[in-house]
Amino acid sequence: MYVIVVYDVDVKRVARVHRFLRTHLHWRQNSVFEGEVTRSQLYEIKQTLAELIDGDDSVLIYELPRENFNLHVIGTDRNPTGEII
Amino acid sequence: MYVIVVYDVDVKRVARVHRFLRTHLHWRQNSVFEGEVTRSQLYEIKQTLAELIDGDDSVLIYELPRENFNLHVIGTDRNPTGEII
């Protein structure tokens, strides 16, 4: 499956969440990551995020059956190559 | 088609971009909007965003054939009803 992850977390926890997500997914923009994952990886990602976040933090994970979308970028494409940073 | 829009724009332009997007889509989280659109609406959204943004701003539009995904919310669900605000 393919996931798009968007996080909105307190600035105190941004670095931790970002560091964790980049070990599993491609960074796409500011607070957006993407990538192909297995069901067990998705489960692990959800579990770890639940531990990392706190307070009013919110993370959305869009789980698509596969990478089946067109991506339109308006303005700056922050990571056009899908490079893992 | 169904779109997920994520914006990362300078704070000076956030209010304008947010106001525009909420006239077409459902607000989902901080800088995330979603909704069903026609091809011509998508075109209009892209054109208007290109006019509204500037500098190093970036907006991603994921265009899916249809609303075919599971959404996992970790932490706070900011707008569970999909209410148009």
Side-chain angles (χ1 to χ4, degrees), chain A residues 4 6-8 28-30 32 34 42 46 49-50 53 55-65 68-76 78, chain B residues 4 6-8 28-30 32 34 42 46 49-50 53 55-65 68-76 78:
Chain A
I4 302 164
V6 187
Y7 64 81
D8 174 19
R28 178 31 99 177
Q29 182 206 74
N30 193 21
V32 184
E34 277 179 32
L42 174 58
K46 289 173 65 178
L49 285 171
I53 68 172
D56 197 36
D57 294 346
S58 180
V59 183
L60 303 179
I61 303 180
Y62 291 92
E63 174 205 335
L64 316 179
N68 179 25
F69 54 79
N70 292 322
L71 177 59
H72 307 264
V73 181
I74 325 289
T76 304
R78 301 220 193 282
Chain B
I4 302 165
V6 188
Y7 64 81
D8 174 21
R28 175 33 95 177
Q29 183 205 73
N30 193 22
V32 184
E34 275 180 33
L42 174 58
K46 288 173 64 178
L49 284 171
I53 69 174
D56 197 36
D57 294 347
S58 179
V59 184
L60 303 178
I61 303 180
Y62 292 93
E63 175 205 334
L64 315 178
N68 179 26
F69 54 79
N70 291 322
L71 178 59
H72 308 264
V73 181
I74 325 289
T76 303
R78 302 219 192 284

Side-chain angles (χ1 to χ4, degrees), chain A residues 6-23:
Chain A
V6 187
Y7 64 81
D8 174 19
V9 305
D10 190 279
V11 67
K12 292 196 296 289
R13 290 178 289 275
V14 163
R16 243 182 306 166
V17 168
H18 188 96
R19 266 200 308 273
F20 167 68
L21 287 173
R22 77 181 185 190
T23 65

